[in-house]
Structure formats: structure tokens, C-alpha cells
Amino acid sequence: MSPFDRKAPRLSVEEARTRTGGEQPEAVLLDVREQPEWKAGHAPNAVHAPLTGLVSGAALPAAARGRALAVICRSGHRSRQAAKLLAERGADAVDVKGGMNAWAAAGHPVVDGRGNSGSIG
């Protein structure tokens, strides 16, 4: 059973943070931005799977397989494309409206590739 309401195909950053946080998250925050963007700044518990890889047939990282996915990018465009692609492959995937721009604007943590304070370009 999906933790996502199919009547609302997009999640707010608040919904995404709630559903992907805590000790037993009900979903994985899947960041589909490219490597340089990921290294500059991402959500602390996100899993990385660049959209270019997914489009070319790459498998999801092990931490995201068989899990509900809250898909995020910088602004929401790529995450919509990725969520659609993943749903077509049978995944329970919903994109996060506003992406990492909205995540950071809401004051949620962003870390770089070394775990320090990161930025969204």
C-alpha cells in the first residue's frame, strides 16, 4: 500500500521531510540532480540517483529499491520527469514541488559532499 495520496501527485517540501525523516521513514528522498549539484548541497538523508542515469536505464541505488520515493531535484522539473519514469517502471514515486530550492528556502538542512553546510546553485 502506498503512503502517498494519488489525488495529490506532488508533495510539498514539508510533506517530503515528514515522510522521509525520523527513525523509520515511510519513504526515501531520492535526489535526481547531477553529481556537481549533489556535491554542492543535498538533504542529509537523501539518496542520489541522477536523472541522466535513470533515463539511460540505470537501476535505483539499493537504499531506494522497493521503497516509496519522494523524488527531488533543484526546482521540480526533473523530479517530475523522474517520478513519471519510475512510476512507469512500477515504483511508488512522487515528486517534491519546488525541489531543493523550496527545501532550502523552508530552512531545512542542506549538506555538501563532505557533510558540511551546503548550498543549492
Side-chain angles (χ1 to χ4, degrees), residues 2-38:
S2 171
F4 299 127
D5 177 1
R6 289 294 166 197
K7 294 177 185 167
R10 303 188 85 190
L11 296 176
S12 69
V13 292
E14 297 304 327
E15 291 169 317
R17 186 165 191 238
T18 297
R19 293 176 183 202
T20 63
E23 289 186 25
Q24 293 186 328
E26 61 186 77
V28 170
L29 186 63
L30 185 72
D31 192 321
V32 297
R33 295 173 302 143
E34 296 305 313
Q35 186 69 20
E37 296 170 289
W38 167 262

Side-chain angles (χ1 to χ4, degrees), residues 26-92:
E26 61 186 77
V28 170
L29 186 63
L30 185 72
D31 192 321
V32 297
R33 295 173 302 143
E34 296 305 313
Q35 186 69 20
E37 296 170 289
W38 167 262
K39 287 175 88 172
H42 57 272
N45 294 319
V47 173
H48 188 221
L51 177 60
T52 53
L54 295 173
V55 167
S56 64
L60 284 170
R65 291 183 200 143
R67 304 279 313 276
L69 305 170
V71 185
I72 197 164
C73 66
R74 183 175 47 87
S75 64
H77 178 74
R78 288 176 285 179
S79 60
R80 284 182 112 171
Q81 183 181 355
K84 182 177 186 247
L85 172 75
L86 292 166
E88 288 170 354
R89 292 182 186 172
D92 184 10

